[in-house]
Amino acid sequence: MEQRKSLQDYVWQNGPLTAMLATGYINEIASALERLHNERHICHLDVRPDMILLDVNGKVTLKESTVSQSYSEQGAETDFRDLKAVHHYLLTGKKTSHTTMHDGIGKTNGNSQSSSDDNTETSTSSSGQVTSGSTKSLPVFAAVLFVAFCLTCGFLYFKKKTSQPTKKTETLAREYNDFYYEGQWTDGKPNGIGTAKYKDGRFYEGRFLNGKRADKNARFIYADGNVFVGTFAGDTIQHGKVTLKEGGFYFVGDFSDGKPFNGSWYNADGKEVEIVKKGKEIVL
């Protein structure tokens, strides 16, 4: 098997998948879609076999979509509807009437398959060769798994619809009492990448979470010009490096109330010059 072959290519070359294998792949993509909807608030809108890649270890991944949009209930329905169509294709090698797949697979363009195509089914022999035989219904086991998959998709969508309101992220600028904010905004609070310029001269650049500064690689400038790079959590400096504006001295370690708390000071040449023991705060 070639590295990162699409499921479409794999079915073309080897015939339909077994019910267990197809359902396993579909469950992985369903989980990826749920994360896309819940965490990134995006609908993929281009779920089809040639967008699903299979690597040499048997893992499947969904390619990034060029037509994705912000999350909506209609978009989520489209993603899971198309995923069910992909599942049908993996099991049968045949298109469905409502799928959005490309390259003629699953498109409804007014051209139907010939009666001979409708009366034959592609399968894989024990030697791996593609053979043809008469049409027959899916085994009961495959049908049961397909129904279970549909119920799972319905449950995931219902849970999303009832427990999580749609969150709209936008980029804007807003002035508060003591600082000016520019960046991503969700549900009336700074959320995502942004900057805060304080009236006393301080400056923060990094991520926000529910209106509070929270980032593992934030940049913060004190009012006196000293620069900190490191972790913010709960709207406060936690750990990292602060460099003094004058002299080139810098501190690496933990912070408390924005001050060095536990770590070491170094000169401009990188030589350790002072150790700050835990519990002894030093004013910058």
Side-chain angles (χ1 to χ4, degrees), residues 66-83:
T66 59
V67 296
S68 61
Q69 297 179 5
S70 298
Y71 176 84
S72 67
E73 294 182 1
Q74 183 178 2
E77 290 176 349
T78 297
D79 280 349
F80 284 122
R81 181 197 67 197
D82 290 348
L83 188 58

Side-chain angles (χ1 to χ4, degrees), residues 5-17 48-50 89-90 92-95 101-106 113 122-124 128-131:
K5 175 185 298 183
S6 75
L7 287 184
Q8 175 173 291
D9 291 340
Y10 186 79
V11 172
W12 277 352
Q13 295 174 13
N14 300 281
L17 308 182
R48 45 193 170 87
D50 62 323
Y89 173 75
L90 297 182
T92 67
K94 296 180 179 180
K95 66 182 181 181
M101 302 175 203
H102 291 188
D103 299 325
I105 299 177
Q113 290 180 321
T122 305
S123 61
T124 307
Q129 299 296 319
V130 178
T131 61

Side-chain angles (χ1 to χ4, degrees), residues 9 15 53 78 98-99 124 140 162 172 197 208 230 241 245 249 271 273 275:
D9 291 340
L53 300 181
T78 297
H98 61 272
T99 179
T124 307
V140 174
T162 57
L172 51 73
K197 299 178 182 178
F208 288 78
K241 173 182 177 181
K245 180 181 179 181
F249 289 93
K271 182 180 179 180
V273 294
I275 297 176

Side-chain angles (χ1 to χ4, degrees), residues 16-214:
L17 308 182
T18 65
M20 183 173 295
L21 186 59
T23 303
Y25 290 155
I26 292 299
N27 285 339
E28 287 187 50
I29 300 303
S31 297
L33 285 173
E34 186 183 18
R35 290 192 299 272
L36 191 69
H37 294 168
N38 293 345
E39 298 174 9
R40 297 178 58 187
H41 314 300
I42 293 174
C43 291
H44 191 275
L45 303 181
D46 199 16
V47 180
R48 45 193 170 87
D50 62 323
M51 291 291 286
I52 302 173
L53 300 181
L54 178 65
D55 66 21
V56 293
N57 298 315
K59 298 294 183 181
V60 291
T61 55
L62 183 62
K63 293 171 61 176
E64 291 284 344
S65 170
T66 59
V67 296
S68 61
Q69 297 179 5
S70 298
Y71 176 84
S72 67
E73 294 182 1
Q74 183 178 2
E77 290 176 349
T78 297
D79 280 349
F80 284 122
R81 181 197 67 197
D82 290 348
L83 188 58
K84 287 191 289 185
V86 172
H87 193 201
H88 179 269
Y89 173 75
L90 297 182
L91 290 170
T92 67
K94 296 180 179 180
K95 66 182 181 181
T96 59
S97 61
H98 61 272
T99 179
T100 59
M101 302 175 203
H102 291 188
D103 299 325
I105 299 177
K107 278 189 174 180
T108 52
N109 55 13
N111 299 323
S112 60
Q113 290 180 321
S114 66
S115 59
S116 61
D117 288 338
D118 290 336
N119 292 329
T120 59
E121 179 184 68
T122 305
S123 61
T124 307
S125 67
S126 60
S127 63
Q129 299 296 319
V130 178
T131 61
S132 298
S134 60
T135 301
K136 56 184 178 182
S137 61
L138 291 175
V140 174
F141 180 61
V144 170
L145 286 176
F146 184 74
V147 172
F149 164 72
C150 294
L151 291 175
T152 300
C153 289
F155 170 76
L156 293 175
Y157 174 68
F158 177 78
K159 182 176 69 172
K160 169 71 178 180
K161 183 176 180 180
T162 57
S163 65
Q164 281 197 328
T166 301
K167 295 183 178 180
K168 182 179 179 181
T169 299
E170 55 186 338
T171 301
L172 51 73
R174 181 171 179 177
E175 186 171 359
Y176 289 86
N177 290 333
D178 62 339
F179 70 93
Y180 178 80
Y181 173 79
E182 286 187 83
Q184 293 178 319
W185 182 275
T186 306
D187 289 347
K189 297 178 181 178
N191 267 295
I193 297 295
T195 60
K197 299 178 182 178
Y198 296 85
K199 292 183 178 180
D200 63 4
R202 291 176 296 154
F203 176 83
Y204 173 86
E205 181 179 28
R207 290 186 176 275
F208 288 78
L209 179 62
N210 293 325
K212 295 185 177 181
R213 296 167 294 182

